[in-house]
Amino acid sequence: MRRSADVDALQHVLCAALRSRAPVCSMARLGHSVGIRLDRGDGAGPVRGAEAWEALEPAALERPTLIGGGAPYAPTSPAPSPDAVDELVRRAEALDVPQILVPRVRRSDDTGALRAAGFVSVAAGSECVVRLPGEVDDVLRNRVGAGQLRDLRRRHRAVSRDLTWERIPLGELAGKAWARDAFVKLHQSHVERQGGSHSPYNAEALDALAHSVPGRRTEMFVRRRENTVVQAGLLTTSHNGRGIYHLTQATDHNDPAARRNLHLASLYQLYLHARRSGLEWVHLGSGDAPRARRLGADLFVPLDHWLRAPGLAHPAEEGDEERELSPFAAPSVATVPIPGPARFRHRPRFDLVDLSGNTNPFLAPESHYPELDTAELARTCLATLSALPGHDGLDALSPDHLLFTSGAVDGVMLLLAALASPGERVCVTPPTFELYAHFARVLRLPVVEVPLRGDDLNELDAERILAADARVTVLCDPNNPVGTRLDPERVRDLVARSSGLVVIDEAYVEFSEKPSYAPLVARHDNLIVLRTLSKAWGLAGARCGIALADPGLIDALRRVQVPFGFTNASQHAVRDRLTNTRRPLASIRLIRAERDRMAAALAAHPAVERVFPSDANFLLVRLREHQRVVERLRGAGILVADTGHLVPATCRISIGNRRANAALLEALSAAS
């Protein structure tokens, strides 16, 4: 519906709807069908250009306006080219029409020609798409949760007992006058219920659509009880054959089925139809993003109306300039762009015929590259983490503060490559995760060690770290391999006073009852917090790490990151786990309880000299006969991490299930 041929055809449909030779009407008349409103309640965050509406005199809504694009049936209007904008302006002058409106243009489109011609943007909500990479119930479960899925299925079953579901190609409407008449009547009633008087979905428009290019791909769907039509709408298959646009629907609100939320039930039916037809997505149109999320939408493309009106000045808009890269970016990184396809990750491709990737079209869908726009998954991730204890204030972060990586380890490599140049120092605090220093040396970065102090190896020597004047300081908290937490006051002081970057690896923080440092990212542009879904969330196989940092730092990391590293399968697994949190959160509580039980059992064991306190899902244990005990455990088929080279005479024991832990204690007794 974004091809020029489709847009031209839809211009004729609009003329038919208006009973006019030209697509000219007032914005008040067209208002609801293209989402024009004066409020700021689209739920998609701050409204860009809202002051443009406020600057309009009331008469502007009634003033004759030339409508560009394909309203009201088109999901969006492609941003017109410079020649097309010039033609719009000339046509408006020839028609003596003072205003021009190009409705619902994707913010990711090139809108330079519109700006140059004096058009002003006004936020129009978001284009909402439900992608269907698997069976409908599986997809919805990991989007909206098991409870919402049960509710959708219940409504669908109740409605399906009473109403039929029929699809009629528009080319066959001539022989089904009842469907045509019911569609028009229901849409007229809908407009009147909204306070309007003229429905753009009238008989003339429907006939024009049936004889248009997109009309060949369009069907009417009808739900009826015996001979009474209760609901009618339009569906159009995309020109690339991969999805369905849900163009419009209207319902008889006096029917009992409407009280069971017929709209939701019909959308669920539509998802089933799309999946059974081998389609990959359903386009819900533009509107309220939070509501669409509850319906399973996972792709949201911000839209703007573009208006050219007398006396309307172009306001200064946030986001017009490219975001400034962090000053912590290495000079070599600051001079290069984000590589290849990742640069255009916010430009949707779902409704294009994509011939740019050189993949095998006969082995789809596996041949498609992974989705690069993970903003919605980032929003889900932040919402889930914000609800955890110790994460107050995390809701101040946006998806621009988050980057998914191939495990937290990949995040370490990325940040060292993007933010430090050869010769600049990296500070680590042994005993700690060994790959920090390993990656630094691979990248020719000198490593400065400032050991942790104290009996529990959890005292940070902040003054020595600051004196090292490192480009990057990496802290592991909870510590691996020790399991202890650092003093939060010293950590905050270090972040505030450091002239370099401070990286805090929180791979095990979900097992701790002490707060996360992630909310501090909103206040410190030199702080990076790393998280992983491999540990507490049980997704080691999905390889998903998370870097939280100032957006300028995230942009620097993107310039180093290899595109397409976060596979679709991993994205689906992550969304499922972060949406349905009951099991993982329950398992974290079980691990904490089992950790405490095992700590007591090991502390009382004759083979053990000391058990270090732990805020992780493992225990660091000092053994009386370290080497002999580790070898005996290995001989008994039990593998623990030998950490004697980091902390003398120790091993690190992961907390397993009851059977595994019992086997360890039995083998340890045999070895003593």
Side-chain angles (χ1 to χ4, degrees), residues 412 415-416 419-421 423-441 444-452 459-476 479 486 494 498-505:
V412 174
L415 68 90
L416 291 177
L419 307 175
S421 299
E424 291 183 317
R425 289 183 289 276
V426 174
C427 181
V428 297
T429 58
T432 192
F433 188 49
E434 295 176 279
L435 285 183
Y436 305 150
H438 171 81
F439 286 145
R441 293 185 177 108
R444 304 178 189 176
L445 305 172
V447 176
V448 178
E449 295 186 350
V450 179
L452 297 172
E459 294 181 13
L460 199 64
D461 192 339
E463 297 305 324
R464 282 189 61 192
I465 292 173
L466 291 169
D469 193 26
R471 177 69 169 183
V472 180
T473 298
V474 188
L475 308 178
C476 190
N479 181 282
L486 300 170
L494 176 64
S498 178
S499 60
L501 289 156
V502 178
V503 180
I504 306 177
D505 184 350

Side-chain angles (χ1 to χ4, degrees), residues 594-660:
E594 194 66 3
R595 177 190 66 197
D596 296 343
R597 186 185 74 85
M598 285 295 292
L602 288 168
H605 202 284
V608 174
E609 181 178 322
R610 187 190 176 196
V611 178
F612 285 76
S614 177
D615 276 82
N617 65 334
F618 57 81
L619 295 167
L620 186 70
V621 176
R622 178 171 287 130
L623 301 168
R624 298 189 187 280
E625 298 183 60
H626 166 254
Q627 197 60 44
R628 186 177 72 85
V629 171
V630 170
E631 289 175 359
R632 290 289 182 89
L633 291 176
R634 190 179 299 118
I638 296 177
L639 183 63
V640 297
D642 186 350
T643 52
H645 61 296
L646 297 173
V647 182
T650 63
C651 69
R652 189 193 65 200
I653 302 173
S654 298
I655 302 302
N657 57 29
R658 279 277 179 146
R659 175 176 293 182

Side-chain angles (χ1 to χ4, degrees), residues 198-209:
H198 302 288
S199 168
Y201 307 106
N202 53 30
E204 291 84 353
L206 193 57
D207 289 343
L209 180 61

